[in-house]
Amino acid sequence: MNPQTDNVFYATNAFTGEALPLAFPVHTEVEVNQAATAAAKVARDFRRLNNSKRASLLRTIASELEARSDDIIARAHLETALPEVRLTGEIARTANQLRLFADVVNSGSYHQAILDTPNPTRAPLPKPDIRRQQIALGPVAVFGASNFPLAFSAAGGDTASALAAGCPVIVKGHTAHPGTSQIVAECIEQALKQEQLPQAIFTLLQGNQRALGQALVSHPEIKAVGFTGSVGGGRALFNLAHERPEPIPFYGELGAINPTFIFPSAMRAKADLADQFVASMTMGCGQFCTKPGVVFALNTPETQAFIETAQSLIRQQSPSTLLTPGIRDSYQSQVVSRGSDDGIDVTFSQAESPCVASALFVTSSENWRKHPAWEEEIFGPQSLIVVCENVADMLSLSEMLAGSLTATIHATEEDYPQVSQLIPRLEEIAGRLVFNGWPTGVEVGYAMVHGGPYPASTHSASTSVGAEAIHRWLRPVAYQALPESLLPDSLKAENPLEIARAVDGKAAHS
Amino acid sequence: MNPQTDNVFYATNAFTGEALPLAFPVHTEVEVNQAATAAAKVARDFRRLNNSKRASLLRTIASELEARSDDIIARAHLETALPEVRLTGEIARTANQLRLFADVVNSGSYHQAILDTPNPTRAPLPKPDIRRQQIALGPVAVFGASNFPLAFSAAGGDTASALAAGCPVIVKGHTAHPGTSQIVAECIEQALKQEQLPQAIFTLLQGNQRALGQALVSHPEIKAVGFTGSVGGGRALFNLAHERPEPIPFYGELGAINPTFIFPSAMRAKADLADQFVASMTMGCGQFCTKPGVVFALNTPETQAFIETAQSLIRQQSPSTLLTPGIRDSYQSQVVSRGSDDGIDVTFSQAESPCVASALFVTSSENWRKHPAWEEEIFGPQSLIVVCENVADMLSLSEMLAGSLTATIHATEEDYPQVSQLIPRLEEIAGRLVFNGWPTGVEVGYAMVHGGPYPASTHSASTSVGAEAIHRWLRPVAYQALPESLLPDSLKAENPLEIARAVDGKAAHS
């Protein structure tokens, strides 16, 4: 039945579980070495390529993706079971993301140019001329995510920001959508050709063996890693990256329960809160990394009504087809196991295998405290409501939470005094605070932070979405007393790139 | 003779090797836990303290250090054998560094505030209001370095930048100068008292057992580590920091050979190059992290003259008293071992134990290629000159070098075409490029980069000296649709802190 061999593998139809046409090579250490060596050879020229040419490459990739959107959507739909309208939106998002990074490169702000003017007469020692800019790290490995086959995969945010920084990229394609990755890789290859740039700037490696990713993270020419996935797999690769003779940064987004706090004033004021909540938790079949996985609310009649409405909405949910059989099996067993724990109530929708039911758990703060395992993310259409005794109880629970991508607050003005006590704690555990909204939907802008304390991110000072994501692939270099003709353009006195710079600690522009 | 017990330890007189008066407690896991728990309790208030109050604390610490400079210098001189004039300069440097970070905090630039304005009518989805700032990570552990008992120790750059960021600091004092660390800690304690801030914001822990540092790096309340020291010790703590259930950033400066490239034009033009070189390599008895540890030059008559002058200067060097008996023994055995390798020539100065001789090694590029171990840093007054066949040979050697804090070039205009081929490589291996100067002497300014690829730094995107060092202790948080009254001051519409901010991708200052 299954045509899998050691040399090739096949994608799985997410609806039927059957193999899809097209064999993909199982790449090994040999191909990793070829790709990394080739990437290292072109890395210096690519990082020194002028900004407008790198921006042009990103825009051309965006156009190529749009040109092949029909092919991409058709294949991605079969591989992921995501609806066509969602995939259409995701292509637009991915193309816009590439164009945002083109703007970032063109602005030159990523150089973070800082100039300290010399003072030869300073006592006791003269002050030297020191100028600093950021440069690309070198070849980068990117691991595609299963849940966003475009925006967080072969040409997703990690690839776009790394190419923008000037780093060649080697993508380890996700086994859940190899055909989608291949078409996307063809778009990037075509763009490189059109821009007359070497193909070694981008390589897609495919395979269904763990050794491939391990070889990639361990290769001496790889200088940083971008990863979106599970805590288990991500932590193993994180460990590898740090055990290398030369450790490298590993930017991993591993998991989040995205706590939501609903204050009594919001429960009273907002009639459609339960609808909004269920829509957010079931969006993309609950396979968003920003899914609200736990809701804290007070024990009031309005909260009881909120729970009942949410339960009734859950019962009416259509069955979900999850991304892969593995994700489905994992979801099923975790939901069944949690449902059989003490002190937890669960409501399911109707579903027949291979589809899965949505699930809503309800418990008390007392029981939540007894079950630290409930804080573990379950990937799929489920969430948990924790009924707290009072605001102090809710605040005290917040102090026990681990890192998350987001933390959400619902409240109206009368609760602001209590909310202002909660915010400082939420800053400490989340990359993004959301007010009177829902965490699903991650805006790709300048101010976005998609990260947060571990396990949300292995590198809480970084973001994997938004303009600042480019800084993951850069490091600073200072130039002391270099003559004008030898300085990089970003630091020359006349500021030929016309970029924002800081001079002697003050912002300056050209 | 030696009054060491399990509960106390004594400093060593660096000149005589005898124990100095004053017993210091050997702190253990118990004190680590007390200090970290207390630091965590005050962390939230300290990070939210307003900028001017944190700046004031830093200035008060600077004044306290200056007020006790006589005590500090007297004790540090005995503990480190560093001359009083050097220690006087180092107190000034340390105080200036604290004041620079006071300016950085006051300017508010460290918040890196970014605002994305909303667009409720954008299709297909409204654009949310997102604002982002940086906040402190929480309690930080700092490991003092032996070679700068003030500027890189208890109140050094790591402590100053972490306090500036709003992180409580726990210092593991270096065993080479416990008395100096204790006086410095008293200055900080006095400053906290004067500023009416809790003592738990700063704790000095002392001890001569490895377990102390390990317990500190492993403590769950510690959120980041700053370290300056050896590759061996640093890498072991780096590993610990990444093996924790919640891994934390480890900012370690571990070692560098600081290659220097002298082009033929400079050899011809600069008569005093050998004097400058020997002065730089023997500065602070060769115990600077930026000591030029290897010089590459072409095989010309001028290079031969340079070598002969340098050798003759080395022979005339006064004997060196190194920081500790351990450093002395390690230097002696490494220098003797290298001197007995094949294909290397060595010139020594005169010295009698416990002092050490300066040493200058000379070899050919051919022999350098055969001895990768020669690239390992030897801490102390020695360096190595590598005679290359031609510029191509020199460029090819540069491609083999590991990461370093600095890379230096000497050249006049006629060699610029060749220099411009070397610079792109040096950018890849060094944090700072120095032109027609020497790497010793690290300016504490806005543009400084004191870091570089491993092993110069375990985190090549960071610097441990200069204003940018504050970013090691910060992480970004985004706020989506928060009402004005709940936003932090750095992000409020009216910009009450009057800080530099970026709005919709453009720099703005309102």
Side-chain angles (χ1 to χ4, degrees), chain B residues 114-435:
Chain B
I114 301 176
L115 288 75
D116 284 350
T117 52
N119 178 359
T121 62
R122 189 186 64 175
L125 287 170
K127 182 178 168 222
D129 176 325
I130 303 186
R131 309 180 194 208
R132 169 237 199 239
Q133 68 160 349
Q134 301 219 100
I135 69 167
L137 285 176
V140 156
V142 168
F143 287 74
S146 63
N147 59 342
F148 281 83
L150 303 163
F152 284 84
S153 196
D158 288 346
T159 297
S161 56
L163 292 176
C167 296
V169 172
I170 301 173
V171 169
K172 153 66 179 78
H174 200 285
T175 48
H177 52 262
T180 308
S181 296
Q182 184 167 306
I183 307 172
V184 169
E186 286 163 14
C187 294
I188 301 179
E189 285 156 20
Q190 185 57 34
L192 285 167
K193 205 167 162 188
Q194 211 171 305
E195 298 289 330
Q196 299 181 291
L197 289 168
Q199 291 291 318
I201 289 171
F202 177 86
T203 304
L204 169 68
L205 297 178
Q206 304 249 40
N208 55 1
Q209 303 298 315
R210 225 167 253 190
L212 173 60
Q214 292 165 346
L216 194 50
V217 171
S218 304
H219 198 284
E221 296 290 5
I222 295 296
K223 299 301 179 191
V225 182
F227 176 93
T228 306
S230 69
V231 174
R235 183 64 193 252
L237 292 172
F238 170 92
N239 293 346
L240 266 188
H242 291 90
E243 287 159 7
R244 293 164 43 122
E246 179 197 9
I248 53 173
F250 183 91
Y251 297 100
E253 185 211 309
L254 306 192
I257 55 153
N258 303 299
T260 296
F261 298 83
I262 307 184
F263 282 80
S265 59
M267 279 291 185
R268 283 194 299 276
K270 302 187 198 176
D272 59 348
L273 219 44
D275 302 72
Q276 291 177 14
F277 163 57
V278 172
S280 179
M281 71 163 261
T282 58
M283 190 178 282
C285 299
Q287 299 168 120
F288 274 29
C289 31
T290 53
K291 178 192 71 183
V294 60
V295 172
F296 299 96
L298 301 201
N299 192 0
T300 64
E302 292 84 0
T303 296
Q304 285 313 319
F306 168 86
I307 291 171
E308 281 158 29
T309 311
Q311 286 170 331
S312 130
L313 290 165
I314 286 292
R315 281 188 207 100
Q316 299 157 36
Q317 286 293 307
S318 342
S320 297
T321 304
L322 299 189
L323 292 158
T324 70
I327 290 172
R328 180 194 61 213
D329 295 346
S330 170
Y331 172 78
Q332 297 274 39
S333 72
Q334 287 179 283
V335 165
V336 168
S337 157
R338 187 165 297 181
S340 69
D341 282 343
D342 284 343
I344 201 160
D345 174 70
V346 61
T347 303
F348 287 109
S349 66
Q350 297 293 319
E352 268 175 48
S353 184
C355 291
V356 301
S358 301
L360 181 62
F361 297 96
V362 179
T363 193
S364 66
S365 59
E366 193 189 343
N367 283 318
W368 167 267
R369 280 192 174 83
K370 291 181 194 153
H371 292 85
W374 293 351
E375 204 185 324
E376 276 160 36
E377 181 186 10
I378 298 178
F379 196 69
Q382 65 74 38
S383 189
L384 165 60
I385 299 171
V386 179
V387 180
C388 305
E389 289 313 306
N390 47 44
V391 171
D393 189 29
M394 195 158 84
L395 292 174
S396 123
L397 289 183
S398 78
E399 296 290 342
M400 300 159 56
L401 293 171
S404 237
L405 291 165
T406 68
T408 297
I409 297 166
H410 284 273
T412 70
E413 213 156 348
E414 62 181 289
D415 280 326
Y416 284 7
Q418 284 74 40
V419 171
S420 67
Q421 289 179 268
L422 179 61
I423 287 176
R425 174 56 188 166
L426 299 190
E427 287 173 327
E428 288 161 11
I429 57 167
R432 175 168 55 112
L433 272 56
V434 180
F435 197 76

Side-chain angles (χ1 to χ4, degrees), chain A residues 325-345:
Chain A
I327 290 172
R328 180 194 63 212
D329 295 347
S330 170
Y331 172 78
Q332 296 274 40
S333 71
Q334 287 180 284
V335 164
V336 168
S337 157
R338 187 165 296 181
S340 68
D341 282 342
D342 283 343
I344 200 160
D345 175 69

